[in-house]
Every structure is written in structure tokens, then in C-alpha cells.
Amino acid sequence: PLRAARSTRQTRIEWTLRQLVPEGRIGTPTHASCIDRRSDPARSDDASNVDYAQVLAMGADDLNRLRNILGRDPVRILARCTRAAWSTYRHGSTTEAFVEMTGGLHLHYYGSLTSNRSEHALWLEGDRGVLWTDRSLIWWRKRGWPVFVPLRSRSVPAGERSARPTEEAERWALAILEAAIRSDRTRTTVAVSDMFQTAGADPGVTLR
């Protein structure tokens, strides 16, 4: 079977976060939480008959974007893919995953294609502060401060804006996708590196 994982160009918000994290705005990242709710019911028989609809359509890409933002590679994934009672998808309209990343960072992810509203929330926490975004604005709170303050998003450089996802990014997206599906099927935690070994590829590429 041949699977394709969505891999999209980065937005202004993603680009800005990719600069803020290595600049030390939150210090050393320790925890991340991403919630991606969408009201996107299946509109054809072909779409409704797809298994693991959410992780194929958005989940793997969301997790790969977080890998880019945090500069950390996923090590192990524990995923559960379910179908809401009202869903028009056959299986996997909802994905929940716990991901261990390099450097001891832990990530919680929840994605749904059949929510009653569309919204996105990303929380990045470190030992010196927190970044939060809804994909339209970015807010930052330094550790010890009582309130969040808004930050300006930065323009994506022309060269980065027009660049297509690299082969490395596409391979990681596929590895994350396969690991999530295998975890759901086996009800176990799955090592992402095993997906590269199965495909005969070398995952020895990192962002830093």
C-alpha cells in the first residue's frame, strides 16, 4: 500500500515561532500541546471510506510542523484514532497522540475533522516562559509575569516562502504517519526510527 502524508509550506506564524524558540524566548522547551479542531465532514464516498482520515489529512503534517518549530525529532508515539458517533468517516476522524521528542520534551496532540467548530491552539512551554498561538496571533508570557503580551509575526523570507517541503520533511511526515497508525492498531508505543528502518532509510538527519 502507498500512503501520502500532507506536507505544506510554512506560514508567517510557523516561521515566527521557528525563530522565537531557538532565540531562547521560552528557554529550553519542556512541553507542548496542540489542539486542531475542524468542522470538515466527508463530502464524498471516497473520502468517507478512508481509514485514519484525520492523521492522513492533517495530523502527520501538524506533528511535523511542531518538529520544525521545536527543533526536536519525535522518538516515540502513542496514538489513538477513533470515530465520533456522528462522523461520516469510516475510521480515524479523531486522533489523540502523546509524543516523546529528543531532549526529554513531551507533546500532547488532539485533532478532529468532525468538531462543531474550527479552531487551533498551540502551547509551547519552556523553563523561561510560554508561547501561545491560535494561528492568527502569537502571545508570550515570561516566567513570573502575570499576563501574556502579543508579539508581531515575522514575514517569511522570499526564498523560504516559495520553497517546497524538503525530502527530509516529507520522510519525517511519512514516518510519523506510519508510527501513529501502527500505534493505534497495536495499542502500544511505537518508535519512529523503526519506520525508517522498515523503509530502508536512514533517519540520521536533524534540524540542528
Side-chain angles (χ1 to χ4, degrees):
L2 181 64
R3 292 195 180 97
R6 178 172 176 166
S7 186
T8 55
R9 294 184 175 92
Q10 61 189 321
T11 63
R12 287 172 62 101
I13 296 298
E14 181 183 355
W15 172 258
T16 303
L17 292 173
R18 286 187 65 183
Q19 311 312 304
L20 292 172
V21 172
E23 287 173 6
R25 187 61 66 105
I26 62 172
T28 301
T30 57
H31 174 77
S33 177
C34 179
I35 298 175
D36 187 58
R37 293 188 176 96
R38 295 171 186 263
S39 179
D40 189 18
R43 294 178 174 83
S44 68
D45 290 340
D46 289 341
S48 64
N49 288 327
V50 172
D51 285 337
Y52 297 100
Q54 196 282 332
V55 74
L56 280 164
M58 298 304 307
D61 187 42
D62 283 341
L63 292 173
N64 199 33
R65 284 175 177 272
L66 289 170
R67 170 184 166 271
N68 291 332
I69 290 170
L70 294 164
R72 307 288 182 89
D73 294 330
V75 179
R76 282 178 284 274
I77 295 179
L78 177 64
R80 295 292 180 268
C81 302
T82 57
R83 175 186 176 276
W86 59 86
S87 174
T88 53
Y89 294 96
R90 182 170 64 189
H91 175 69
S93 59
T94 299
T95 303
E96 184 168 16
F98 296 92
V99 186
E100 177 188 347
M101 308 186 82
T102 52
L105 187 147
H106 292 86
L107 162 67
H108 170 249
Y109 174 79
Y110 174 84
S112 174
L113 297 177
T114 52
S115 292
N116 60 1
R117 63 192 184 280
S118 294
E119 65 179 12
H120 185 92
L122 173 59
W123 175 282
L124 304 177
E125 185 171 354
D127 60 357
R128 291 173 53 190
V130 175
L131 287 165
W132 182 89
T133 181
D134 60 0
R135 274 188 175 159
S136 61
L137 297 171
I138 299 176
W139 298 81
W140 170 61
R141 187 185 71 193
K142 186 176 181 179
R143 183 163 296 281
W145 286 10
V147 296
F148 283 81
V149 295
L151 299 179
R152 288 181 178 273
S153 61
R154 306 176 186 180
S155 298
V156 182
E160 293 284 343
R161 186 167 56 247
S162 59
R164 296 185 60 82
T166 64
E167 181 180 347
E168 174 192 345
E170 291 174 345
R171 290 196 303 135
W172 274 106
L174 284 169
I176 292 168
L177 168 66
E178 291 290 347
I181 291 174
R182 182 174 297 187
S183 176
D184 176 70
R185 287 176 173 170
T186 62
R187 292 295 192 264
T188 60
T189 300
V190 173
V192 179
S193 61
D194 289 349
M195 304 302 99
F196 286 100
Q197 293 168 5
T198 299
D202 178 13
V205 285
T206 57
L207 294 179
R208 293 181 180 178

